Amino acid sequence: GAVVSQHPSRVICKSGTSVKIECRSLDFQATTMFWYRQFPKQSLMLMATSNEGSKATYEQGVEKDKFLINHASLTLSTLTVTSAHPEDSSFYICSARDFGASGGPKDTQYFGPGTRLTVL
Amino acid sequence: GQNIDQPTEMTATEGAIVQINCTYQTSGFNGLFWYQQHAGEAPTFLSYNVLDGLEEKGRFSSFLSRSKGYSYLLLKELQMKDSASYLCAVQTGANNLFFGTGTRLTVIP
């Protein structure tokens, strides 16, 4: 089955620093990856769509200069939270789009394990 | 806009059957997904429906009626480990995935 990894799983940083989160599809190539954010007891909210080799598409209200996304290869997308502040503390989850090559249903998103970001 | 509704919370007894409903109104439809999410973890894929009808996978089944904008997830022979949030998500014409707020299921002995 399709496996997506995320690193780090948990990060604590000081206000004003930048944090990079990696998302990797381990056994399939993902031309499209998605970044979500989830606050406690709320649903996943899509932040941006990351397309390999092109600029990411951001959802309304998400600052592209604050949340930098790079999708340099078919198996890796990174999200960098620049100048993080306490209000950026959240659970960040990536997903990778699998078009069925891994044997699962056609066009399914598989999620990474998530990254818990705490900004002090 | 996109609107996906699910009950907020449900409680069921170990060994029983529970049905979690989801209604949706979206601009475009390319399929409906159910995910399970345990507290503090990422969602895991459970089922996918794109045509009307019932999809069965072990103890889990999912039903879709596109004309009614309605789906349900059926869990049989409930186990304590099934206590989790269940997320209904619709893939729209833009191929993005929009999530409902999730249904928090508590399984009691």
Side-chain angles (χ1 to χ4, degrees):
Chain A
V3 179
V4 177
S5 70
Q6 239 178 283
H7 178 80
S9 59
R10 185 180 295 269
V11 59
I12 301 173
C13 69
K14 294 182 178 180
S15 183
T17 60
S18 294
V19 175
K20 179 186 282 189
I21 304 170
E22 292 186 351
C23 177
R24 293 181 186 273
S25 57
L26 298 185
D27 49 4
F28 66 100
Q29 294 183 330
T31 55
T32 304
M33 291 184 174
F34 302 89
W35 287 96
Y36 296 85
R37 181 167 52 183
Q38 186 177 36
F39 292 104
K41 298 185 178 181
Q42 295 186 24
S43 184
L44 295 170
M45 296 297 294
L46 179 66
M47 297 176 66
T49 302
S50 169
N51 296 298
E52 187 267 337
S54 64
K55 291 183 178 180
T57 303
Y58 290 82
E59 295 300 300
Q60 193 171 8
V62 178
E63 300 175 57
K64 62 180 181 181
D65 294 330
K66 180 170 182 62
F67 298 98
L68 301 179
I69 291 173
N70 184 279
H71 193 156
S73 77
L74 288 172
T75 59
L76 173 65
S77 176
T78 60
L79 169 69
T80 301
V81 183
T82 62
S83 186
H85 289 94
E87 58 265 29
D88 298 323
S89 298
S90 187
F91 191 46
Y92 291 85
I93 306 173
C94 74
S95 70
R97 194 172 176 187
D98 179 18
F99 286 91
S102 65
K106 187 177 178 181
D107 201 2
T108 298
Q109 287 190 31
Y110 292 91
F111 289 84
T115 298
R116 174 80 54 194
L117 171 63
T118 303
V119 185
L120 303 176
Chain B
Q2 322 295 350
N3 192 38
I4 302 172
D5 288 318
Q6 307 178 230
T8 305
E9 294 191 34
M10 298 183 72
T11 302
T13 306
E14 189 176 14
I17 300 173
V18 70
Q19 178 174 311
I20 304 174
N21 295 324
C22 172
T23 58
Y24 63 89
Q25 291 175 308
T26 58
S27 55
F29 180 84
N30 270 358
L32 187 144
F33 295 80
W34 284 95
Y35 288 88
Q36 179 190 61
Q37 186 178 26
H38 285 99
E41 299 180 12
T44 56
F45 169 77
L46 288 179
S47 69
Y48 169 70
N49 294 71
V50 66
L51 299 176
D52 290 351
L54 188 69
E55 293 283 340
E56 297 186 80
K57 188 187 295 184
R59 295 190 299 115
F60 296 84
S61 303
S62 57
F63 171 83
L64 174 67
S65 169
R66 288 171 297 172
S67 62
K68 295 181 180 179
Y70 168 68
S71 173
Y72 66 72
L73 178 69
L74 194 71
L75 292 78
K76 303 176 185 176
E77 301 171 14
L78 279 175
Q79 302 175 8
M80 299 300 292
K81 67 178 183 179
D82 297 330
S83 292
S85 287
Y86 291 85
L87 306 175
C88 171
V90 175
Q91 193 161 41
T92 67
N95 290 319
N96 286 341
L97 203 58
F98 290 91
F99 287 85
T101 53
T103 298
R104 190 183 308 274
L105 174 66
T106 302
V107 180
I108 57 176

